Amino acid sequence: MTMSVSLLATAVVLCAVGGILMLTRPLTRILLGAVIAGNGINLLVLSSTGSAGAAPLLYGVPLRRVTDPLPQAIALTAIVITLATTAFLLAMAYRSYQLTGTDEVHDDLEDRRIFLRAEVLGERAELREEYRAEPGRTRRERARYRQERHRLRARLRADRALQARGRDAGGDLWHDVLGADPEDYVNDTHDDRGAAG
Amino acid sequence: MNALVPLPVLLPLCATGVSLAFGVRLARFQRFISVAVLTAVLALSVTLMIAADRQGPLSVHLGDFAPPLGITLVADRLSGLMLTVSSAVTLSVLVYSLGQGMADRDKETPVAVFHPAYLILVAGVSLTFIAGDLVNLYVGFEIMLVASFVLLTLGGTGPRIRAGSTYVIISLFSSMLFLTAIAMTYAATGTANFAQLALRLPDLPLGVQTLVQAMLLTVFAIKAAVFPLAAWLPDSYPTAPAPVTAVFAGLLTKVGIYCMLRTETLLFPGNRLGDLLMAVALASMIVGILGAVAQTDLKRLFSFTLVSHIGYMVFGIGLATREAYGGAIFYVAHHITVQTSLFLVAGLIERRGGTNELTRLGGLARSAPLLAVLFFVPAMNFAGIPPLSGFIGKLGLMRAGVSDGSVWAWILVAGATVTSLLTLYVMAKIWNLAFWRTEPPGQAAYGTVLETADDSDDDEGPGPDRVPGTGDEGVGPAPAGRTVAATLQGQAVTTTVRPPRAMTAATAGAVVLGLAFTVLAGPLTAFTDRSAAELISRRPYVEEVLGP
């Protein structure tokens, strides 16, 4: 089977461009990437025809020299499907923009919590190490250290409260209706950071 | 009899049109159509399954083109079983969602969109089960996916759009990979028809065969959520409405497993990538169940157990003996029903307790004994407690592993045992936290919260579920039999002391279906064994499509 190299090269380039675009965050870029990569793959499907032949039905071309119509049918189907998906993605990007002001795909909430927790714990370990490494401690330094630790603990606790709130059926139900959940907010000022997620 | 084969796809598709045309005005008519069509599909599927068991595979060549040319639809034993189980599950979920929709006053489930999308989903799933060539399999996948996009982002709330983006992008990527695989297969063999591929693929160089096999397996593994490709699932499923999550968890992943079974047996016999499959099966089981152990959110937890138990089926496919295929097919049927009923129960728990968070739930065994039973039976079934079908499925797979006797098989048997025990642990944890212990103090507050919100929000007068005379009682938990619904920043929050009957009945139906697998285990294992034999011999399928 002979194949047009230019068709293949175009397909590869399109897939590469689309692939890179699909790895980005904003939904519109992902959409563009999907469209471009989709076109590349359609070309790939077309190139599976082999060497191009004559059009069927017209001019009484012998059957052996007719182009294989099946890849074209597959490509057409794929184009229609890409159209539907593109329309849906566009709607979703716009809805995301309406809701959050940006069309970026946000991280999984739990991922973010795990990340925050790891960050806080790391910071605390660093602080402790720094404190222990210093030989002489003045009263002031000790107070500063204690204050830092309190700050970190407050962050963790706020995060835990956020987590508990996020898990409720209504999302921000506790925060919106009760203001704060008494169980999680004992000895702690309410920290609203990240509540939008 | 052969003329019946396309109907499980055609009926829901036509009904979608009718539903869209009349749905906006006649919501009741729309519901009637959905239920009637899905019942008809269930009856058809049972007929097809019995016919395929008696006479061998049934095939239809659409447009009467000669076999390798036109569109071929084939229903053999495996397809028949999958169709039957899937339509039974979709019917029960539909009834459940009807119950929920009525109780929620249609705030979360806009009726006009839900029913057509659901019917299209059913059509897509049916098409993948009866597709006789790669291209139609692709089309079936896409029909199913587009419908699932709509269902997953139903209502367009923030969390759903966020979770939906992940799902849509992953699905897009996997369909692109699928299309590439089809293009490569076609370029190499000049056909996309399964039966013809089965004859032509063995002539290809080994490298090309393995490449095509690996690409197809990757696509189906993304769909089936096998471990390294499963990260999207626990992220995107739990935010959808309960019935949608239930049907997705039950069916969509199993469509991937079905495709794996079909292609591994029909197109790539000889099990070249068996070890790889077993390795990912082990990883899915262990990683999935450990994820579930760490979770306290019920829906998320069930999503992780879903990933974990996919591993069992992949184990069966990786072993590739007749016993193993039989076990895997049995397990698929069992898993579809049990996983769906667990998600349905999760929806009921959310309704009853106001949350899916285990640390906030409690005392349900006393306040909702029926719910406790509805959870307990599928949970024990899922964990594989002896008389139930989960045990039979796991036993079948492990027996196949032991009789295979290779090192990987033994490792997998050990892994499967550990997973099963950990599943039991997880289920016991849910039981203890949500049902067994006494109510945590926070729970009573739900009635208060919702009552206040409801009174301030309600501008349409008393809803259909409100009992007159109980409306102005102020604070305190909601009285029995009453639905309290409120909207907070566009999110509907509903809690009832007693869920609508349709929801409970549908859940009970799914649970009973799971129990039926236990009672009918003898005939069913015989059936799965016959269908495994049919898959391995390949001749009935190829001869039915291409002629003897």
Side-chain angles (χ1 to χ4, degrees), chain A residues 1 30 34 41 44 48 68 70-71 74 78 81 88-89 92 95 99 106-108 110 167-170 173 181, chain B residues 142 149 153 156 158 161-162 165 169 172 176 179-180 183 186-187 235 295-296 300 354 357 360 446 488 491:
Chain A
M1 187 167 80
I30 292 170
I41 288 163
L44 208 66
S48 69
D68 185 356
L70 194 71
I74 300 177
I81 290 169
F88 187 82
L89 255 179
M92 203 164 68
R95 180 71 184 149
L99 286 170
H106 292 290
D107 280 334
D108 185 13
E110 195 163 275
R167 279 166 179 166
D168 281 322
L173 181 70
D181 184 355
Chain B
E142 291 302 317
F149 296 165
T153 53
I161 291 289
R162 192 204 63 77
S165 330
I169 293 161
L172 256 182
M176 282 176 182
L179 199 57
T180 319
Y186 189 79
D235 183 19
Q295 288 295 326
T296 51
R300 251 184 121 89
E357 175 55 44
R360 290 189 177 281
Y446 268 97
L488 281 170
Q491 274 181 311

Side-chain angles (χ1 to χ4, degrees), chain B residues 7 15 26 38 52 54 92 112 117 120 130 155 182 193 237 248 274 354 378 385 400 422 430 435 521 546:
Chain B
L7 286 183
L26 304 168
L38 288 190
R54 291 219 177 117
S92 67
I120 288 182
I130 58 174
I182 292 174
N193 189 296
Y237 275 13
F248 280 19
I385 294 298
L422 282 173
I430 300 173
F435 292 91
L546 296 179

Side-chain angles (χ1 to χ4, degrees), chain A residues 23-168:
Chain A
L23 289 176
T24 53
R25 277 290 170 111
L27 270 174
T28 30
R29 278 182 184 237
I30 292 170
L31 172 78
L32 287 178
V35 170
I36 292 174
N39 284 340
I41 288 163
N42 286 343
L43 281 184
L44 208 66
V45 173
L46 276 185
S47 68
S48 69
T49 320
S51 52
L57 298 179
L58 292 174
Y59 319 122
V61 185
L63 203 64
R64 286 175 52 83
R65 297 192 48 208
V66 165
T67 307
D68 185 356
L70 194 71
Q72 300 175 10
I74 300 177
L76 269 178
T77 316
I79 289 171
V80 174
I81 290 169
T82 317
L83 176 77
T85 328
T86 310
F88 187 82
L89 255 179
L90 264 178
M92 203 164 68
Y94 182 63
R95 180 71 184 149
S96 174
Y97 168 75
Q98 269 188 332
L99 286 170
T100 60
T102 148
D103 65 342
E104 285 200 1
V105 181
H106 292 290
D107 280 334
D108 185 13
L109 214 60
E110 195 163 275
D111 279 358
R112 229 157 59 180
R113 283 177 194 138
I114 292 171
F115 181 77
L116 176 77
R117 201 178 147 75
E119 202 180 60
V120 168
L121 290 181
E123 231 173 282
R124 195 164 71 182
E126 220 169 73
L127 188 73
R128 190 175 294 160
E129 205 130 286
E130 191 185 309
Y131 177 70
R132 287 197 178 144
E134 281 175 33
R137 300 162 206 156
T138 59
R139 176 178 293 246
R140 207 160 171 203
E141 266 174 347
R142 228 174 296 162
R144 197 183 61 85
Y145 171 67
R146 206 170 299 134
Q147 203 180 341
E148 279 287 290
R149 279 194 58 172
H150 277 295
R151 189 181 59 79
L152 286 174
R153 200 179 300 154
R155 239 179 112 184
L156 261 192
R157 210 175 279 148
D159 173 53
R160 219 169 286 146
L162 185 70
Q163 199 167 337
R165 229 177 31 231
R167 279 166 179 166
D168 281 322

